[in-house]
Amino acid sequence: MKPLDFLDHLSVPVTLALGLLLVLVVGLVDYITGTELSFAIFYFAPVALVAWGKGRFPGLLITCVSAAVLLIADLLSDRVYPYHLIPYWNCLVRLGMFVVIALVFARLKVNLDGEKRAARVDALTGVLNSRGFFERAEYERSRAQRYGYPLVVAYMDLDNFKTVNDTRGHEVGDAALAVVAGIIRRTIRTNDVAGRVGGDEFAFLLPDTSHRAAQALTQRLKANLDREMEKNGWPVTFSIGVVTYSTPPASVREMVRAADELMYCVKNRSKNAAEHRLVERDILRPVSPE
């Protein structure tokens, strides 16, 4: 975890409270040390922290508080100004600097998050790429192991996809992949994980799902896919291997490998089918294929 990643897991009120606490601490030190030492630069830290963690508007709120605390510390000090409006002018100048810092850090975080998402999303289909899928799946595997709920992983290959590319062209093939990904996204739940893990191979992971529920979802997904392929006149069918773990194994790759091997069993036998396996206490139990 990177130094500031913890901010992503904090709520906006908690982050604001943390920022306010830092501002008050800096303001107290600023007041105690007197006018000889300037502490204005240290107010940048809570402003940057909140803007980076929660965006522009929370960051701007902290800028206002920081400028106000600086003004109060200035007014309570024993410094004598030749003109009574000078502290207020200084406050406005510092507020301007804080606003710039807040906006810059908020924009940098937005850009960084966008680059992170782009690095983990398949540009053609809009689902996660292999890297993104395995990262998210590992997170779900850890949660399933911690809270003791079942986990389902499925591996799907597009039968005869090469025929589409060879006879219709790669543009049509790309369109077919995008359609398949869209149907997967619309069929699974929002908290499920889907990814394109190969040229014409997809995987999806279903947290807290029983093997019977996985069977029903896979049947519904395959029906939706078959209907769309027939509608477009694409000679594509689907071979799917689905493994349900009552207790997740030690790694996601082990889970995906088991589903991948089951999918190849389907392809080698007949294609155009889904086969399920239930793993309970390291015992592999077959379930009737669809």
Side-chain angles (χ1 to χ4, degrees), residues 40 43-44 47 63 66-67 70 94-103:
Y43 290 89
F44 289 166
V47 170
T63 65
S66 297
L70 258 171
R94 291 161 179 166
L95 177 62
M97 291 189 298
F98 294 154
V99 166
V100 170
I101 292 296
L103 294 179

Side-chain angles (χ1 to χ4, degrees), residues 36-55:
E36 287 77 13
L37 296 176
S38 175
F39 272 72
I41 192 171
F42 294 103
Y43 290 89
F44 289 166
V47 170
L49 184 81
V50 173
W52 180 271
K54 297 305 168 187

Side-chain angles (χ1 to χ4, degrees), residues 205-254:
L205 183 138
L206 314 174
D208 198 10
T209 304
S210 68
H211 76 275
R212 292 190 182 277
Q215 282 183 297
L217 183 142
T218 306
Q219 185 176 18
R220 186 167 68 253
L221 172 63
K222 193 172 182 308
N224 292 340
L225 290 168
D226 290 340
R227 185 164 50 250
E228 192 66 25
M229 296 304 106
E230 183 178 357
K231 174 183 173 182
N232 288 279
W234 296 329
V236 175
T237 57
F238 302 89
S239 296
I240 311 174
V242 186
V243 181
T244 301
Y245 290 89
S246 60
T247 302
S251 74
V252 169
R253 294 196 178 275
E254 180 182 343

Side-chain angles (χ1 to χ4, degrees), residues 115-194:
E115 290 179 3
K116 284 182 178 179
R117 284 192 295 271
R120 289 163 174 77
V121 174
D122 180 59
L124 175 63
T125 62
V127 297
L128 295 172
N129 58 23
S130 181
R131 175 184 175 184
F133 175 81
F134 278 95
E135 287 182 357
R136 174 74 187 282
E138 175 57 33
Y139 170 76
E140 294 295 345
R141 187 203 66 81
S142 298
R143 281 177 53 84
Q145 194 170 54
R146 184 181 307 119
Y147 297 113
Y149 55 71
L151 197 60
V152 176
V153 62
Y155 204 100
M156 183 176 76
D157 180 81
L158 277 63
D159 307 321
N160 309 317
F161 179 72
K162 187 176 183 300
T163 302
V164 175
N165 276 335
D166 292 344
T167 60
R168 308 286 185 88
H170 287 278
E171 287 188 3
V172 175
D174 289 348
L177 290 173
V179 167
V180 168
I183 293 173
I184 293 174
R185 287 200 307 268
R186 291 192 296 272
T187 304
I188 64 177
R189 302 166 301 184
T190 55
N191 63 316
D192 296 333
V193 186

